[in-house]
Amino acid sequence: NIYLTNAPTVSSDERIKKDIRALNDAEKLVAKDLKAEICIYRLKDNDDKLQIGVIAQKVVGIFKKHGLNALDYQVVHYDADIDRYSIVYEQLILFVLSAI
């Protein structure tokens, strides 16, 4: 866990970005399907609190269903050393918001 007094400031200046574009049709379909995959669960090693999120393998499957590779996006990471997927929730949230 990381506990912060203030939210981090993330640079979003246009001058540090390239290839800026709107989501394409396939990405919009992924975003819509991702929204439907938000679920509630408990972690196996800490079952006292309910978690809200997605299952990374399902996210990967949704991208694949629409002809996209989830690992090409900052939404999903895969760590081969521990054979585990993770989600970058700030990216996921923005992706899902684009479907609204």
Side-chain angles (χ1 to χ4, degrees):
N1 291 329
I2 298 174
Y3 298 96
L4 303 170
T5 302
N6 298 307
T9 300
V10 178
S11 182
S12 189
D13 193 298
E14 182 178 28
R15 294 170 291 181
I16 64 169
K17 299 178 180 186
K18 64 180 184 177
D19 303 329
I20 300 168
R21 64 172 176 80
L23 274 68
N24 64 36
D25 290 341
E27 291 163 337
K28 288 177 184 178
L29 290 171
V30 168
K32 182 179 176 186
D33 286 356
L34 288 175
K35 181 180 176 205
E37 286 300 323
I38 296 171
C39 60
I40 294 179
Y41 58 90
R42 294 183 196 273
L43 295 174
K44 288 183 178 180
D45 63 349
N46 183 6
D47 65 351
D48 62 333
K49 298 285 186 179
L50 293 170
Q51 304 281 324
I52 300 170
V54 295
I55 307 303
Q57 289 85 342
K58 289 186 177 186
V59 172
V60 170
I62 289 169
F63 275 88
K64 186 175 182 179
K65 170 184 162 186
H66 295 288
L68 302 172
N69 181 349
L71 298 177
D72 289 342
Y73 295 80
Q74 190 66 11
V75 174
V76 179
H77 288 204
Y78 178 71
D79 186 334
D81 292 336
I82 59 173
D83 188 30
R84 187 173 293 170
Y85 287 97
S86 59
I87 298 293
V88 179
Y89 276 95
E90 71 176 35
Q91 294 284 315
L92 176 81
I93 291 165
L94 290 170
F95 212 118
V96 169
L97 281 173
S98 72
I100 297 175

